Amino acid sequence: MHILVCGGTGCRASSSDAIVEKFKSELAANNLENDVQVIMTGCFGFCEKGPIVKVLPDNTFYTQVKPEDAAEIVKEHVIKGRKVNRLLYLDPAKKEHVSDSKHMGFYRKQIRIALRNCGFINPENIDEYIARDGYQAIGKVLTEFDPQQTIDIIKKSGLRGRGGGGFPTGLKWEIASKNKADQKYVVCNADEGDPGAFMDRSVLEGDPHSVLEAMSICGYCIGASKGLIYIRAEYPLAIKRLKVAIAQAREYGLLGNDIMGTGFSFDVELRYGAGAFVCGEETALIHSMEGLRGEPTNKPPFPAESGYMGKPTNVNNVETFANVCPIILKGADWYSSIGTEKSKGTKVFALAGKINNVGLIEVPMGITLREVIFEIGGGIKNGKKFKAVQTGGPSGGCLTEKHLDIPIDFDNLIAAGSMMGSGGMIVMDEDDCMVSVAKFYLDFTVEESCGKCAPCRIGNKRLYELLDKITKGEGTMDDLDRLRNLSKVIKDTALCGLGQTSPNPVLSTLDNFYDEYLAHVQDKKCPAGKCKALMKYVIDPEACVGCTACARNCPVNAISGERKKPHSINTAICIKCGACIEKCKFDAISIK
Amino acid sequence: MSHVKVELKPEQVTKIKEICKSFNNNPGELINVLHQTQGAFGYLPAEVQEVVAAELGIPVAKVYGVVTFYSFFTMLPKGKHPISVCTGTACYVRGAEKVLDEFKRILEVKVGESTPDGKFSLNCLRCVGACGLAPVVLVGDKVYGRVSPDGVKDILNEYAD
């Protein structure tokens, strides 16, 4: 019997370490420590209901487990074989407890390839990875295929880069393999900077060996003996697990010299980022690894010709690598049978925002946004109305109701005015102001622009100022034209991917939510009630009973009135914090 | 940039030199050197950067350029309990701004500043990847999930000693 406890960042923040300890001590108290193994795994994905505990072999899925629940699970489930119903997932539609995750709406439509081992194995134990076909793919490649044959398999599978651009991975490897040099490098881009995206982190925390193995395969294909993982310093747990994995792989002779006695040598080192979004761009990333400011350079030369230390370098994203080994083992045809015509396989998305089931999901390409948001995601929080979904982070756009039924793939998302990006998917409801959302992303871009090229450094700042003006109710119709024109200029003239995509949140909200911009500019109103400058708090004298709750809780004493008589708000003093609305039991205060 | 001159003690200079040496004084390792140095000192004042530059044989301007480029590096000391409010998108749409405002109001500091007694410093960060718990606040290494403006006071009270 096994007890698996989720050890992803989200669940650990909710004390999953303590849960593991508690299980161990409870089992020891019952003399079961030799019969039942407690394992801390990588992320199960269902972060909304974390911490997750899974009991094998009967696949019982417990949600929101607290350390003090361990005793009951041991006593009831482990010893008496009775499931603890109150900790099972409650299906919101059927109002029934579901014990096997296969039957939960959140998991039913998922296909797990990149996340195949996350939540199944102990990421700090190489034997568990090997037991699930780990390091078989590299063995197969080294003994059965030459580099070109391997590249052909990847090409045929249709795998495209998962970092955002969607460049065909096999082709990228082929270009790097054809450049001659005494030293080449394989780089894994783990600088996951999109706010709201945590796919790569979960793969590295839950299944670090899958990335190491795939990097070795890439090294074999392009003729590189060195691999580098560029990882965010903000991911201490992923760094720790990678270090453990690298040490174990070296000990087993799966990294280092003469791997499996085939004469092929490959080793991996870590390089740390230091908090710069632009370093996700491959040329900037390479400069950062060289100890320089992470500023991008013009392409060509592409890294495949001249990259790290001037040598041919192949850069792939974590999730891209995580797909490689299953393709080698199960074949290109198997992989290309999943997905759409031009986008094969699956994609991992980090589903977050105003959605019931926040978490990490892996779905086949071609699934619709509606299926993702309403079936897997369980719909919008608190019964509110769906308004938009933002994909692609600061480089992407906001999609609306009318896009819900398009099949998700690289090309369809671009055609709809957004992009796949690395896989962040933030859901917004009727309470979100789309002008403010655009401003939020521009604020991010302004802060993260490296400053090297003028369109990005200056242009985005001007875009931000225009949006700020509009959210303050000072915008004009000319400003809307200016927004659109400037956005197009930045897209056409910025140096790197960051600048070229930074106006996307502005353009997509202008296209899809133009009426909201108009409301801000012409009527000086924020329909979502988010823009403070455009709001006015008023007390309805009919509904107010004079209980004084609002006046007592107003931090700036803007509310006055006698007891048991209607109160009023002095709008000159009011800071629009909303404290009064929260305290009013009679719904007498509203935003106009 | 702070104008308070920092006097480095001889053993501190030795410590920096040791860190540089552990990376073979290789300028290509500048970022790793700075990570470790900040780990040892808590921040990277100009005087520390001068030692690093001399050891690696590169201009101070280059070190300064790197320190100021990356948000992870700081030239100002952090508070005893550094507070970071996540302002990633998921936290933003779930109300991180109001939580941040509440910290600013209670602590009477702006983002990037420390309280006069050096106890708390307030910063924003972009996504720790615990979006399921949004909005998220970090105090030191401890993660607080689903923080509401009302909960800010309770968090600060935990550190009232």
Side-chain angles (χ1 to χ4, degrees):
Chain A
M1 203 173 200
H2 289 81
I3 296 175
L4 310 179
V5 181
C6 178
T9 294
C11 285
R12 277 174 69 118
S14 314
S15 61
S16 63
D17 282 303
I19 296 174
V20 170
E21 287 314 309
K22 204 76 191 159
F23 267 117
K24 285 189 175 160
S25 62
E26 286 296 329
L27 290 168
N30 290 288
N31 293 322
L32 287 166
E33 69 267 35
N34 295 325
D35 303 315
V36 183
Q37 261 191 307
V38 185
I39 296 168
M40 186 174 259
T41 67
C43 183
F44 283 89
F46 203 1
C47 307
E48 182 71 37
K49 295 284 175 201
I52 306 286
V53 170
K54 203 170 185 177
V55 182
L56 296 181
D58 57 10
N59 239 349
T60 308
F61 194 92
Y62 289 121
T63 57
Q64 294 180 316
V65 178
K66 295 192 181 68
E68 52 269 28
D69 295 326
E72 191 178 343
I73 293 176
V74 170
K75 207 161 89 196
E76 288 295 311
H77 191 150
V78 178
I79 297 175
K80 297 182 190 159
R82 293 196 294 232
K83 288 175 183 169
V84 183
N85 273 329
R86 69 177 179 89
L87 293 172
L88 294 175
Y89 175 71
L90 186 67
D91 187 304
K94 293 186 197 144
K95 305 272 178 242
E96 277 171 12
H97 287 291
V98 186
S99 90
D100 191 332
S101 55
K102 277 204 293 286
H103 304 301
M104 289 161 50
F106 183 76
Y107 287 102
R108 214 177 292 134
K109 291 211 163 167
Q110 295 198 43
I111 298 181
R112 299 201 149 206
I113 298 173
L115 299 176
R116 63 195 177 280
N117 289 327
C118 291
F120 281 100
I121 62 168
N122 176 354
E124 299 189 17
N125 185 345
I126 189 171
D127 292 327
E128 296 199 12
Y129 177 68
I130 291 172
R132 283 179 62 92
D133 299 337
Y135 290 102
Q136 270 193 27
I138 179 76
K140 188 168 177 179
V141 164
L142 291 179
T143 52
E144 291 177 31
F145 305 131
D146 67 23
Q148 188 58 46
Q149 284 171 320
T150 315
I151 290 171
D152 287 340
I153 295 174
I154 301 295
K155 273 171 85 176
K156 203 174 154 213
S157 75
L159 176 64
R160 293 169 68 174
R162 297 292 191 252
F167 192 82
T169 306
L171 187 61
K172 203 173 195 178
W173 290 13
E174 190 165 51
I175 297 168
S177 78
K178 290 200 169 134
N179 287 314
K180 300 267 176 291
D182 54 344
Q183 181 62 260
K184 296 184 191 178
Y185 294 96
V186 175
V187 172
C188 172
N189 182 350
D191 188 52
E192 186 170 53
D194 279 16
F198 50 97
M199 302 76 47
D200 295 348
R201 201 205 57 203
S202 294
V203 171
L204 293 171
E205 285 179 2
D207 194 15
H209 286 287
S210 71
V211 175
L212 298 180
E213 186 183 356
M215 286 176 75
S216 315
I217 294 172
C218 177
Y220 175 70
C221 289
I222 70 166
S225 61
K226 279 198 180 145
L228 297 159
I229 301 177
Y230 184 84
I231 183 165
R232 294 179 77 189
E234 289 91 334
Y235 285 177
L237 185 62
I239 291 173
K240 180 185 158 229
R241 297 218 167 125
L242 272 173
K243 282 184 175 167
V244 171
I246 291 171
Q248 289 179 347
R250 282 183 188 151
E251 197 188 313
Y252 276 53
L254 296 165
L255 280 179
N257 287 326
D258 193 19
I259 292 170
M260 298 179 181
T262 56
F264 170 66
S265 302
F266 191 80
D267 208 352
V268 175
E269 281 176 36
L270 300 184
R271 287 283 186 279
Y272 305 111
F277 177 66
V278 68
C279 288
E281 201 280 339
E282 55 185 6
T283 59
L285 181 150
I286 287 167
H287 295 308
S288 180
M289 290 201 308
E290 293 167 340
L292 306 170
R293 287 165 69 97
E295 289 173 353
T297 38
N298 260 324
K299 294 192 274 194
F302 287 90
E305 300 158 51
S306 171
Y308 183 62
M309 299 294 177
K311 305 290 184 189
T313 304
N314 179 77
V315 185
N316 281 131
N317 160 273
V318 172
E319 193 190 329
T320 314
F321 278 126
N323 277 291
V324 167
C325 297
I327 292 174
I328 300 291
L329 291 177
K330 295 188 181 174
D333 291 335
W334 162 77
Y335 194 78
S336 62
S337 69
I338 306 164
T340 63
E341 196 194 337
K342 286 185 176 159
S343 302
K344 300 299 185 189
T346 56
K347 178 76 192 85
V348 182
F349 289 102
L351 204 52
K354 306 271 185 67
I355 190 156
N356 278 319
N357 301 338
V358 169
L360 196 73
I361 61 165
E362 183 169 356
V363 288
M365 296 273 191
I367 195 169
T368 63
L369 283 167
R370 188 184 300 281
E371 290 170 282
V372 169
I373 295 167
F374 291 95
E375 292 185 34
I376 298 172
I380 310 302
K381 248 193 158 50
N382 304 324
K384 297 261 181 174
K385 198 170 170 299
F386 167 80
K387 184 170 193 178
V389 54
Q390 209 280 350
T391 67
S395 310
C398 293
L399 302 176
T400 68
E401 190 99 43
K402 68 173 189 235
H403 301 108
L404 280 178
D405 292 311
I406 56 168
I408 302 172
D409 71 7
F410 287 104
D411 312 288
N412 282 343
L413 285 182
I414 288 174
S418 184
M419 67 186 278
M420 183 79 81
S422 57
M425 210 180 249
I426 315 272
V427 177
M428 296 168 196
D429 69 11
E430 54 194 300
D431 294 339
D432 288 306
C433 162
M434 302 316 288
V435 185
S436 302
V437 167
K439 189 176 116 180
F440 166 81
Y441 279 110
L442 259 296
D443 178 42
F444 178 86
T445 312
V446 167
E447 209 172 289
E448 293 296 340
S449 170
C450 78
K452 185 170 175 175
C453 75
C456 179
R457 181 183 69 239
I458 304 169
N460 282 320
K461 181 99 183 142
R462 295 291 98 83
L463 278 185
Y464 176 82
E465 287 163 1
L466 284 169
L467 290 167
D468 191 47
K469 203 174 147 193
I470 294 169
T471 56
K472 287 191 172 132
E474 295 158 9
T476 62
M477 290 306 287
D478 285 346
D479 288 333
L480 295 185
D481 289 338
R482 249 177 243 134
L483 268 183
R484 197 179 278 281
N485 290 337
L486 181 54
S487 292
K488 285 184 181 152
V489 171
I490 297 171
K491 266 179 97 88
D492 290 342
T493 54
L495 170 67
C496 80
L498 190 151
Q500 287 157 11
T501 55
S502 59
N504 282 350
V506 180
L507 287 170
S508 71
T509 47
L510 272 174
D511 285 342
N512 295 324
F513 298 95
Y514 191 66
D515 51 343
E516 222 167 294
Y517 278 88
L518 282 183
H520 282 77
V521 171
Q522 291 183 330
D523 311 336
K524 308 293 176 202
K525 277 198 176 129
C526 174
K530 271 275 144 135
C531 296
K532 277 191 180 179
L534 301 177
M535 296 189 307
K536 208 168 113 190
Y537 284 74
V538 284
I539 299 179
D540 175 4
E542 303 282 306
C544 178
V545 299
C547 73
T548 73
C550 57
R552 275 181 284 123
N553 282 287
C554 175
V556 290
N557 296 323
I559 305 179
S560 56
E562 281 176 50
R563 250 184 98 77
K564 299 196 173 165
K565 296 224 171 110
H567 284 45
S568 65
I569 300 175
N570 181 346
T571 45
I573 309 175
C574 173
I575 55 165
K576 299 160 186 171
C577 68
C580 50
I581 288 197
E582 275 171 38
K583 299 291 173 192
C584 180
K585 289 183 190 143
F586 307 95
D587 290 331
I589 307 175
S590 57
I591 303 169
K592 286 261 160 74
Chain B
M1 199 174 137
S2 101
H3 293 282
V4 187
K5 189 109 178 99
V6 181
E7 293 273 352
L8 290 178
K9 297 189 190 92
E11 62 265 29
Q12 290 179 313
V13 176
T14 317
K15 176 78 193 158
I16 303 170
K17 286 184 176 172
E18 273 171 21
I19 292 172
C20 294
K21 202 153 183 215
S22 71
F23 291 99
N24 299 322
N25 293 340
N26 177 359
E29 299 276 8
L30 177 59
I31 290 174
N32 282 337
V33 168
L34 292 174
H35 268 301
Q36 289 215 356
T37 312
Q38 182 164 299
F41 288 84
Y43 69 118
L44 297 167
E47 292 72 16
V48 168
Q49 296 178 35
E50 283 166 14
V51 180
V52 171
E55 288 305 298
L56 303 186
I58 47 176
V60 187
K62 200 154 186 182
V63 178
Y64 178 73
V66 168
V67 169
T68 49
F69 185 85
Y70 295 99
S71 62
F72 200 83
F73 298 130
T74 168
M75 292 183 59
L76 294 172
K78 285 198 174 153
K80 190 175 160 209
H81 304 292
I83 300 169
S84 308
V85 180
C86 179
T87 48
T89 323
C91 289
Y92 170 80
V93 300
R94 285 206 191 173
E97 229 177 353
K98 281 189 175 169
V99 173
L100 182 64
D101 285 345
E102 188 67 5
F103 273 111
K104 285 199 258 188
R105 194 180 70 79
I106 296 181
L107 296 174
E108 295 177 2
V109 294
K110 290 191 197 122
V111 173
E113 289 181 350
S114 301
T115 51
D117 58 2
K119 193 166 164 190
F120 294 107
S121 54
L122 184 62
N123 276 294
C124 293
L125 59 77
R126 303 279 186 185
C127 203
V128 287
C131 306
L133 301 173
V136 172
V137 171
L138 268 83
V139 181
D141 288 334
K142 188 160 180 203
V143 181
Y144 295 86
R146 300 195 175 105
V147 179
S148 67
D150 286 343
V152 168
K153 222 177 249 162
D154 299 332
I155 294 176
L156 291 175
N157 283 341
E158 281 185 36
Y159 300 88
D161 35 56

